[in-house]
């Protein structure tokens, strides 16, 4: 019971220096906002790199090229690849990115031959009826849900990016973040619209009969084209994505420290404010102790002050980050690999618990400080 | 005849300042009777506050025994002493020491917040204490909206709310004008006569001491009983 009574008292103490408290709460909010954003970055990155990259898929790229702009391979390589032992299917893919650098609003066009969508999406849970209407027109595109939401597009709409104009024939839901910011189009249409010319593709997606054959088949493909005009570099899809994501991983991993710093800053800020508050109330505390308040009562009042400010500020920050990230549909892309920043409920939970822990911890030193020293001396200290 | 509330037997207090020993109280004997209004006088530094703190269970004597209702409280541990204070005593300060963010009502309620009690019972007690201290009409005021005399009335209501047998007051009128001081003293006196409270008050002012049933003089840690004017 005293627990609640004294919490209410702490709440009144917070209002005593309302500007100071408000600034602290605002600081805690900013810190937790930053933490949430960084965590969401990290989640997005993890999602993108731990995607269900096919265990039996190889990606054939132009050797020593790293961007879809510069990887150019003749489409007819697919015939030779198909003849290699252990190859189950070959899908030539043209990838056009509206922005090859790192950007927050990217769309990746992926073109593949009309009949190959089964092979392209093999192993993924995709609504295949979407492709019935897609097949009907050469300029039709199926959009990833994330991108469609961000741009507010629905079936029947036209949109253009990177000089390519398409008509939306459907919106696709997929668990794979790589599909979220993609427009799937017809290969020949994309080749014409991008002025790359027919017969040129960015990569081949090769499925093998058995994943134990991955290395062997990759080697054989690269050997086949070693002395051609466009030599290839073939890797398992997982390694391909990990390599593409390398720079981003480095960049985003670094932000983990930002998140940690934000959390520490919140903690220090609250500690500072509560300490100042407690120092201004030495006699008040002593008077309460004189009237029979025990150590746990005084300690709790100080802890509650930190907790309240931390929780109010923390939850404000978490809520604003949630609104910001979930309405923004942000995604970052580099070299055709996209990372989608979808706020996870788990992140909200994690941040909430963390906010409570740090605001509790923030009050420990001030609470200790508030009961330090001899009661008689503190009563005399005016 | 009322019984003895407090009995001090050979109480001493020693402070160490470096190698120097300060002895504000030296082998002091004292009996205080329930319902009595006792004034403590003496020059600055004579140990009045130190004695008051020991009587109130805020400080412990270095030597000697202190019985409160026949219970030896000089040996109590800090925690027990705190519980003792919560039940048995209340302190009134010269500078009131009300909490500025709380209204008069909430200030009076403060000592009850750690007690096991229904909010209805608490409300009843606070209202009664405010009425006894004749400050019920200012219940919703904050300390800064009150005069010194009114603040001290709130402090007295806060002292009464736990219904303790002992109330100690360290120069309760030291910061008040004469008129307010007289009103506060009358109120303190009535606590003894009407409610059978024991009040021990430190004062510099002989006029204030005149309200008490008995006045004791402290000088260099030793008690001298009698009339101030005769002693000096
Ligand atoms: N914590 C302390 N440490 C050392 N000396 C103290 C302490 N508290 C009080 N004293 C000394 O004890 C003496 C009595 O003080 P006090 O009881 O406050 O006197 P009074 O209230 O009569 O003015 C003074 O000499 C004072 O300096
Ligand atoms: Mg004094």
């Amino acid at each position: 019971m005293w627990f609640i009574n004294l919490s209410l008292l702490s709440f009144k103490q917070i209002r005593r220096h309302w500007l100071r408290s408000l600034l602290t709460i605002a600081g805690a909010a900013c810190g937790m906002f930053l933490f949430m954003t960084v965590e969401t970055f990290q989640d997005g990155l993890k999602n993108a790199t731990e995607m269900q990259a096919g265990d039996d898929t190889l990606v054939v790229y132009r050797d020593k090229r790293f961007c879809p702009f510069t990887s150019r391979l003749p489409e007819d390589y697919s015939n030779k690849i198909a003849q290699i032992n252990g190859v189950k299917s070959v899908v030539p893919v043209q990838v056009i990115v509206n922005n090859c650098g790192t950007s927050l609003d990217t769309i990746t066009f992926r073109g593949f031959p009309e009949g190959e969508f089964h092979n392209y999406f093999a192993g993924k849970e995709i609504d295949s009826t979407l492709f019935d209407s897609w097949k009907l027109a050469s300029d039709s595109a199926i959009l990833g849900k994330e991108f469609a939401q961000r741009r507010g597009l629905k079936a029947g709409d036209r949109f253009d990016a990177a000089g390519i104009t398409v008509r939306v024939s459907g919106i696709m839901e997929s668990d794979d973040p790589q599909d979220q910011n993609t427009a799937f189009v017809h290969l020949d249409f994309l080749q014409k619209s991008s002025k790359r010319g027919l017969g040129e593709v960015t990569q081949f997606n090769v499925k093998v009969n058995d994943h134990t054959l991955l290395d062997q088949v990759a080697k054989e493909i690269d050997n086949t084209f070693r002395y051609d005009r466009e030599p290839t570099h073939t890797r398992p899809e997982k390694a391909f994505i990990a390599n593409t994501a390398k720079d981003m991983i480095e960049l985003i991993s670094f932000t983990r420290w930002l998140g940690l710093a934000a959390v520490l800053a919140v903690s220090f800020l609250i500690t500072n404010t509560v300490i100042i508050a407690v120092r201004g109330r030495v006699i008040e505390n002593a008077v309460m102790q004189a009237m029979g308040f025990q150590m746990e009562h005084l300690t709790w009042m100080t802890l509650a002050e930190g907790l309240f400010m931390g929780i109010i500020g923390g939850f404000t920050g978490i809520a604003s980050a949630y609104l910001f990230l979930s309405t923004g549909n942000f995604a970052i892309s580099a070299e055709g690999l996209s990372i989608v920043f979808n706020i996870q409920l788990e992140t909200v939970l994690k941040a909430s618990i963390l906010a409570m822990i740090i605001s509790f911890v923030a009050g420990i030193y001030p609470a200790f400080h508030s009961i330090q020293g001899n009661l008689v001396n503190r009563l005399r200290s005016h | 005849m009322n019984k003895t509330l407090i009995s001090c037997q050979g109480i001493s207090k020693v402070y160490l300042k470096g190698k120097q020993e300060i002895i504000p109280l030296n082998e002091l004997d004292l009996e205080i009777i329930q319902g009595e209004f006792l004034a403590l006088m003496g020059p600055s530094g004579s140990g009045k506050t130190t004695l008051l703190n020991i009587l109130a269970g805020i400080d412990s004597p270095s030597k000697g025994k202190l019985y409160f209702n026949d219970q030896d409280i000089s040996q109590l541990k800090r925690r027990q002493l705190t519980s003792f204070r919560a039940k048995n005593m209340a302190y009134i300060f010269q500078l009131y020491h009300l909490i500025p963010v709380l209204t008069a009502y909430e200030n009076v309620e403060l000592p009850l917040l750690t007690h096991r009690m229904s909010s209805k019972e608490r409300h009843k007690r606070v209202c009664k204490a405010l009425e006894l201290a004749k400050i019920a009409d200012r219940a919703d005021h904050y300390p800064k909206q009150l005069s010194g005399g009114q603040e001290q009335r709130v402090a007295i209501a806060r002292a009464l709310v736990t219904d303790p047998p002992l109330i100690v007051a360290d120069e309760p009128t030291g910061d008040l004008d004469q008129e307010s001081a007289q009103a506060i003293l009358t109120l303190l006196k009535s606590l003894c006569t009407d409610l059978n409270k024991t009040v021990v008050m430190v004062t510099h002012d002989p006029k204030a001491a005149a309200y008490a049933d008995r006045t004791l003089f402290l000088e260099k840690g030793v008690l001298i009983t009698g009339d101030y004017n005769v002693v000096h």
Side-chain angles (χ1 to χ4, degrees), chain A residues 380, chain B residues 44-45 47-50 94 170-171 202 204:
Chain A
R380 282 175 189 268
Chain B
S44 241
K48 303 182 297 292
T49 300
T50 305
Q94 180 179 355
D170 199 347
E171 305 191 35
V202 166
H204 271 114

Side-chain angles (χ1 to χ4, degrees), chain B residues 75-87:
Chain B
Q75 301 304 318
L76 291 185
K77 298 268 185 306
R78 188 164 77 168
R79 229 189 135 69
Q80 299 167 310
L81 208 54
T82 305
S83 309
F84 164 81
R85 290 198 302 269
K87 279 194 216 67

Side-chain angles (χ1 to χ4, degrees), chain A residues 243-320:
Chain A
N243 191 59
T244 313
K246 211 173 56 195
D247 293 344
M248 259 196 287
I249 288 173
E250 239 162 63
L251 187 76
I252 294 183
S253 299
F254 166 77
T255 63
R256 174 141 280 167
W257 299 108
L258 279 183
L260 185 69
V263 165
L264 283 178
V266 170
S267 187
F268 292 148
L269 180 67
I270 295 173
T271 303
N272 182 53
T273 305
V274 179
I275 273 212
I276 292 171
V278 162
R279 285 217 170 120
R281 295 203 301 261
V282 172
I283 293 181
E284 235 167 75
N285 258 317
V287 167
M288 288 190 237
Q289 205 176 333
M291 70 178 55
F293 280 41
Q294 296 283 11
M295 290 307 169
E296 65 264 25
H297 300 136
L298 298 168
T299 308
W300 170 246
M301 280 195 289
T302 314
L303 286 174
E305 229 172 299
L307 263 176
F308 279 138
M309 285 192 282
I311 287 174
I312 297 171
F315 281 79
T316 309
I318 290 166
S320 1

Side-chain angles (χ1 to χ4, degrees), chain A residues 53-350:
Chain A
D55 265 339
D56 55 353
T57 309
L58 290 167
V59 174
V60 183
Y61 226 57
R62 170 68 165 82
D63 193 26
K64 301 199 172 66
R65 297 287 190 274
F66 306 98
C67 173
F69 270 142
T70 49
S71 176
R72 296 173 173 200
L73 295 168
E75 192 180 339
D76 57 23
Y77 275 13
S78 59
N79 297 329
K80 282 190 187 165
I81 295 172
Q83 283 161 17
I84 291 170
N85 244 346
V87 171
K88 193 165 150 196
S89 69
V90 185
V91 182
V93 182
Q94 172 82 292
V95 180
I96 300 286
V97 187
N98 69 340
N99 188 341
C100 202
T102 303
S103 146
L104 272 178
D105 181 31
T106 359
I107 178 77
T108 306
F109 289 97
R110 290 179 193 271
F112 47 81
E114 219 171 277
E116 297 284 0
F117 75 91
H118 275 303
N119 286 328
Y120 185 88
F121 289 109
K124 285 187 189 175
E125 280 181 33
I126 297 294
D127 176 11
S128 57
T129 57
L130 276 174
F131 288 91
D132 298 340
S133 55
W134 179 72
K135 279 179 180 164
L136 297 179
S138 66
D139 65 344
S140 50
I142 290 172
L143 299 188
K145 199 172 166 212
E146 196 76 36
F147 179 80
Q149 268 176 5
R150 192 165 70 232
R151 291 282 186 97
L153 293 168
K154 52 188 193 307
D157 288 351
R158 286 189 165 279
F159 89 94
D160 96 321
I164 300 160
T165 308
V166 294
R167 212 176 43 76
V168 182
S169 72
I171 312 290
M172 190 175 83
E173 293 204 40
S174 163
D175 293 337
D176 187 340
Q178 294 318 309
D179 297 338
Q180 293 296 338
N181 286 288
T182 299
F184 298 101
V185 294
H186 299 260
L187 177 62
D188 47 356
F189 166 78
L190 189 60
Q191 286 168 333
K192 275 182 264 176
S193 321
S194 66
K195 299 174 189 79
R196 287 287 170 83
L198 288 168
E200 191 184 289
V201 296
T202 310
Q203 66 189 57
F204 297 93
N205 290 7
V206 177
K207 293 241 185 275
V208 295
N209 286 325
D210 188 307
H211 73 92
T212 55
L213 298 172
L214 278 173
D215 289 337
Q216 187 195 321
V217 173
K219 221 178 260 167
E220 202 155 329
I221 293 172
D222 291 345
N223 280 337
T224 309
F225 304 111
R226 176 170 298 168
Y227 302 110
D228 275 47
R229 199 161 49 87
E230 309 288 353
T232 58
H233 181 33
T234 306
R235 279 160 294 180
E237 192 177 14
K238 273 195 169 136
F240 175 76
I241 286 172
N243 191 59
T244 313
K246 211 173 56 195
D247 293 344
M248 259 196 287
I249 288 173
E250 239 162 63
L251 187 76
I252 294 183
S253 299
F254 166 77
T255 63
R256 174 141 280 167
W257 299 108
L258 279 183
L260 185 69
V263 165
L264 283 178
V266 170
S267 187
F268 292 148
L269 180 67
I270 295 173
T271 303
N272 182 53
T273 305
V274 179
I275 273 212
I276 292 171
V278 162
R279 285 217 170 120
R281 295 203 301 261
V282 172
I283 293 181
E284 235 167 75
N285 258 317
V287 167
M288 288 190 237
Q289 205 176 333
M291 70 178 55
F293 280 41
Q294 296 283 11
M295 290 307 169
E296 65 264 25
H297 300 136
L298 298 168
T299 308
W300 170 246
M301 280 195 289
T302 314
L303 286 174
E305 229 172 299
L307 263 176
F308 279 138
M309 285 192 282
I311 287 174
I312 297 171
F315 281 79
T316 309
I318 290 166
S320 1
Y322 187 84
L323 281 177
F324 176 71
L325 291 167
S326 58
T327 54
N329 284 322
F330 293 104
I332 193 171
S333 263
E335 294 166 12
L337 177 80
S338 70
I339 298 178
V340 178
F341 300 130
N342 265 338
I343 202 151
Q344 309 283 318
L345 212 62
E346 208 185 298
T347 311
V348 175
L349 209 70
K350 193 159 104 184

Side-chain angles (χ1 to χ4, degrees), chain B residues 8-71:
Chain B
C8 304
Q9 295 171 9
I11 286 214
S12 295
K13 183 74 190 176
V14 184
Y15 287 117
L16 281 176
K17 247 187 190 156
K19 279 191 176 165
Q20 193 193 355
E21 268 190 356
I22 300 169
I23 310 179
L25 296 179
N26 197 359
E27 304 270 330
L28 187 139
D29 296 321
L30 174 63
E31 301 254 312
I32 301 172
I33 300 189
Q34 181 148 13
E36 137 173 78
F37 188 179
L38 181 68
L40 266 179
M41 295 189 75
S44 241
S46 57
K48 303 182 297 292
T49 300
T50 305
L51 177 57
L52 205 63
N53 285 344
I54 288 174
L55 294 177
I58 280 173
D59 208 349
S60 297
S62 311
K63 219 170 76 189
K65 291 216 174 303
L66 176 63
Y67 292 95
F68 190 99
N69 267 337
D70 298 326
Q71 184 198 0

